[in-house]
Amino acid sequence: MDIILKIRRFNPETDTESRYQDFRIEAEPDERILDVLMRIKRFQDGTLGFRKSCAHGVCGSDAMRINGKDRLACKTLVRDVAQHGEESVLIEPLRHLPVERDLIVDQTAFFERFRSVKPFLINKEPPPERERLQSPKERMAFDDATNCILCSACFSACPILEENQSFLGPAAVVQAFRFLADSRDKGFEERLPVLNASDGVWPCQNHFECTRACPRAIKITKRINETKRMIEAYQKSQSENK
Ligand code: SF4
Ligand code: FES
């Protein structure tokens, strides 16, 4: 079938603002949007800018907005966004991050937030002779949070970031939760200043847009709420010990 990809373009060398360009192309319903973009780049316009790497939903490079939803282009089939042919599929860069070129965004602000929560195991106690053991049940407490591929889809989907660009954002909280809930980790107090700041976990208002956008089915909103409860429990225990 014929579809039209309406792609938002921006070339920092020549454009003062973004514009939309239509590409008419034949596509199979079972093709992925990434395949269609690659054909456009190869045969219609070699200047089209987008990121991709693994092409199998693993690297997180090709997150973009497709018909207004944050998705991975390599995990989105043509038939899911254009069913009847001759349809226009809107392709735009992720929101809340500066556009570098066409569909490529600068993820610096996203990764700064990710690093700010210290996304690594913190435990200053001397390790046991073999390894720090963990039961399967303890491991399952944060299982989905280990699946993040840092694609930034949740960051783009988050309505809070529209109003408050300093909000820590969903993915950083998920990364913090992944270690806070890890029975081997002792870094709660080190992460607390970032998480408990006014722009930390608290601006989240449970819109669930991040959870809907996540290509790895991470229960993001649930994990944010669990992190809030951990902070509240810590504060309660501190005031009881005074
Ligand atoms: S939590 Fe999900 S949507 Fe957000 S960066 Fe990780 S994989 Fe992407
Ligand atoms: S190209 Fe790696 S996730 Fe899509």
Side-chain angles (χ1 to χ4, degrees), residues 197-208:
S198 58
D199 293 326
V201 293
W202 304 112
C204 173
Q205 292 174 11
N206 292 328
H207 289 283
F208 282 86

Side-chain angles (χ1 to χ4, degrees), residues 121 123-134 184:
L121 194 86
N123 189 336
K124 300 201 169 86
E125 291 168 9
E129 204 171 308
R130 285 185 59 202
E131 59 191 301
R132 296 186 200 275
L133 293 175
Q134 186 168 62
R184 302 161 300 178

Side-chain angles (χ1 to χ4, degrees), residues 34 52-62 72 74 149:
L34 179 61
K52 66 107 191 159
S53 183
C54 70
H56 286 90
V58 178
C59 72
S61 314
D62 64 340
L72 297 178
C74 65
I149 53 174

Side-chain angles (χ1 to χ4, degrees), residues 110 147-154 171 174 210 213-216 218 220:
F110 175 81
N147 290 333
C148 178
I149 53 174
L150 299 173
C151 67
S152 304
C154 56
V174 164
C210 53
C214 181
R216 305 290 289 185
I218 298 171
I220 304 175

Side-chain angles (χ1 to χ4, degrees), residues 41-88:
K41 187 171 175 74
R42 194 158 171 212
F43 298 114
Q44 294 193 28
D45 186 343
T47 68
L48 180 63
F50 59 91
R51 282 201 189 99
K52 66 107 191 159
S53 183
C54 70
H56 286 90
V58 178
C59 72
S61 314
D62 64 340
M64 58 187 71
R65 284 174 73 78
I66 304 174
N67 281 351
K69 296 222 167 8
D70 302 276
R71 295 161 166 258
L72 297 178
C74 65
K75 299 282 280 183
T76 304
L77 297 180
V78 167
R79 67 159 184 246
D80 292 337
V81 287
Q83 283 149 11
H84 309 297
E86 290 293 317
E87 270 169 291
S88 176

